[in-house]
Amino acid sequence: MATSLTPSATADIVARANALFEDLTFTAAREWKAADASRKVVGYMPIYVPRELIHAAGILPLGIVGGGDQLEVIHGDAYYQSYICRIPRSTIELGVSGRLDFVDGMLFPSICDVIRNLSGMWKLMFPKVYSRYFDVPQNYRDDIGGNFYINELAELRHDLGELRGKPITDEELRASITVYNENRRLIRELYALRAERPWQAPAAEVYLMVRAGLLLPVEEHSVLLRDYLAAARAEERPVRDNCRVVLTGMFCEQPPLNLIKSLELSGCYVVDDDLLLVTRWLTGDVAVEGDPLRNLSNAFLHHSESTAAKYEPNQKEKGQHLVRAVKRTGAEGVIFAAPSFCDPALLERPMLQHVLKEAGIPYIAFKYAENSGQMQPIREQAGTFADSIKLWSAA
């Protein structure tokens, strides 16, 4: 199938994903809802929510990751201080400007105090919209944290059933788990292709392909991923003398797309990252047989990504996911890139840097905001890092 695709197929697929990325009025989701009067849309903030529950209710899960560098924040600045990250202000701007007026509910996952506060703000500002702060366990024992999480899942399942007008059945939930298992497998395949041949699947393209999954029905997104994988493998692209890096710290507020492009222009192939973690938070297939809520709980507790926004019960394990990522992808260094004022990422960074130093892995660090416009300093810093790695390797 791959050989039947023309080189232009890749550009066409990426152009579609880029159009979705740039559309701050969420046209695709609006059209999906308008096609059937019974349809509903539930938005969610980044990191992790069990999208399987939303899908099982026949509701479209819509990822809301702020306004990026395209949105001028006018009203949102009135609700939050200047010394916190930008994503809550731009999310408020999306709401008060009417860009989210078609959304029937909003989920705010457990990320930090700012997002917790945003969930309360949303309830005050949009009282007719279902709003929930979705909590996750801090204890990873099945009989303690697992039972807590199952109860959280059960409450959300009940609420979504109320929203659509009838309860969500186990059969519906198992079917949704199956669909999302396939989608996660395709994203893992995409990441594996980039790690193996990063020139064939540039970081900016991979980001756009994954981000499209926040805006499209999961079945449609899986088709898009398959098409891109086939097209990317079929198209020959030049290999550059770039060093291979792991990018970390970008799990919540997303960077401007130009920042990701600038890193590769500076001489860095991004071979792994923690961007848009909701799409691959669970690292393997969720079991389909048995109690679906318990299966989702087990996957979260025992088969999920490590991140600063997730409690790490084993402190000796802290930072080892980065060491493993470097080894798995053949990376030569790590770039810490965190949003300004991101407490989880910035508080954890020194601990992670200590682990990398002990492992002999070079790293650099910088901060950004979702509306960062000046890329030259970041490009120069990343370029210097890439050159240094080449010099160290030669030595």
Side-chain angles (χ1 to χ4, degrees):
M1 182 175 69
T3 55
S4 67
L5 291 165
T6 63
S8 63
T10 309
D12 291 343
I13 296 166
V14 173
R16 183 191 176 200
N18 190 69
L20 290 167
F21 166 77
E22 292 180 344
D23 183 7
L24 291 182
T25 59
F26 306 98
T27 303
R30 289 178 182 273
E31 291 177 348
W32 179 89
K33 183 178 181 180
D36 187 332
S38 67
R39 288 180 173 178
K40 297 185 183 299
V41 176
V42 167
Y44 60 89
M45 294 294 290
I47 295 291
Y48 173 74
V49 296
R51 295 180 296 170
E52 293 88 343
L53 287 177
I54 307 173
H55 179 269
I59 298 172
L60 178 68
L62 180 68
I64 308 297
V65 288
D69 57 357
Q70 305 172 71
L71 182 68
E72 181 182 5
V73 174
I74 300 173
H75 305 286
D77 282 340
Y79 294 88
Y80 283 98
Q81 308 92 328
S82 59
Y83 54 83
I84 63 170
C85 58
R86 188 176 186 268
I87 190 170
R89 297 197 289 275
S90 66
T91 303
I92 288 287
E93 190 73 27
L94 290 173
V96 298
S97 63
R99 291 176 170 87
L100 296 175
D101 57 4
F102 69 102
V103 172
D104 303 283
M106 280 287 289
L107 298 181
F108 300 88
S110 178
I111 304 173
C112 63
D113 289 342
V114 171
I115 300 303
R116 182 190 294 270
N117 178 272
L118 182 59
S119 70
M121 189 76 74
W122 211 263
K123 290 181 179 179
L124 292 174
M125 297 179 66
F126 307 103
K128 295 182 180 180
V129 176
Y130 169 72
S131 178
R132 180 183 179 89
Y133 178 77
F134 184 74
D135 211 349
V136 294
Q138 301 299 303
N139 180 298
Y140 279 55
R141 280 179 48 177
D142 291 321
D143 61 331
I144 300 177
N147 288 337
F148 166 83
Y149 190 54
I150 289 171
N151 287 333
E152 286 291 307
L153 291 169
E155 289 185 11
L156 179 59
R157 175 182 183 171
H158 172 269
D159 289 354
L160 293 172
E162 291 282 308
L163 189 61
R164 78 159 178 181
K166 63 178 180 178
I168 300 170
T169 67
D170 283 354
E171 289 72 21
E172 289 174 319
L173 190 45
R174 291 189 188 102
S176 293
I177 288 173
T178 299
V179 170
Y180 273 97
N181 279 344
E182 173 63 15
N183 188 259
R184 284 187 286 266
R185 280 195 292 267
L186 288 166
I187 292 176
R188 290 196 296 270
E189 185 179 345
L190 176 61
Y191 267 60
L193 172 63
R194 184 183 61 175
E196 180 185 358
R197 290 179 285 169
W199 56 91
Q200 292 292 108
E205 290 187 7
V206 170
Y207 178 78
L208 287 172
M209 297 309 303
V210 175
R211 181 148 171 172
L214 275 62
L215 306 168
L216 296 173
V218 61
E219 298 88 351
E220 189 175 340
H221 183 235
S222 291
V223 172
L224 191 71
L225 290 173
R226 290 190 194 94
D227 289 346
Y228 177 82
L229 284 164
R233 288 181 173 124
E235 180 178 353
E236 290 299 325
R237 289 177 166 179
V239 181
R240 294 185 174 87
D241 185 26
N242 286 4
C243 71
R244 302 164 68 92
V245 300
V246 172
L247 189 59
T248 186
M250 299 174 155
F251 49 82
C252 182
E253 180 178 311
Q254 298 298 286
L257 186 61
N258 279 337
L259 191 156
I260 301 173
K261 293 179 179 178
S262 293
L263 290 178
E264 292 201 315
L265 288 172
S266 74
C268 296
Y269 278 137
V270 178
V271 293
D272 200 6
D273 59 57
D274 59 1
L275 294 160
L276 302 171
L277 271 185
V278 65
T279 61
R280 60 190 190 285
W281 183 275
L282 305 181
T283 57
D285 285 354
V286 180
V288 177
E289 302 298 325
D291 181 359
L293 295 188
R294 186 165 295 279
N295 291 340
L296 287 169
S297 175
N298 288 340
F300 180 91
L301 294 181
H302 307 301
H303 305 286
S304 57
E305 290 284 358
S306 297
T307 171
K310 171 186 165 187
Y311 175 68
E312 177 56 69
N314 181 2
Q315 288 303 303
K316 291 183 179 180
E317 182 63 19
K318 177 70 74 176
Q320 294 304 316
H321 69 286
L322 280 180
V323 176
R324 288 192 292 269
V326 168
K327 293 178 179 178
R328 181 180 67 251
T329 61
E332 300 160 276
V334 173
I335 295 180
F336 289 94
S340 296
F341 307 109
C342 179
D343 285 347
L346 295 174
L347 288 172
E348 189 178 60
R349 180 190 287 177
M351 293 181 282
L352 301 182
Q353 290 175 337
H354 177 72
V355 171
L356 293 183
K357 186 176 181 180
E358 286 193 331
I361 299 171
Y363 60 84
I364 60 167
F366 59 79
K367 292 185 289 185
Y368 67 88
E370 64 173 5
N371 64 332
S372 299
Q374 177 54 267
M375 292 299 148
Q376 189 61 28
I378 290 174
R379 183 173 174 178
E380 290 174 355
Q381 186 176 357
T384 303
F385 182 57
D387 291 340
S388 300
I389 286 177
K390 293 172 186 175
L391 290 173
W392 294 337
S393 299

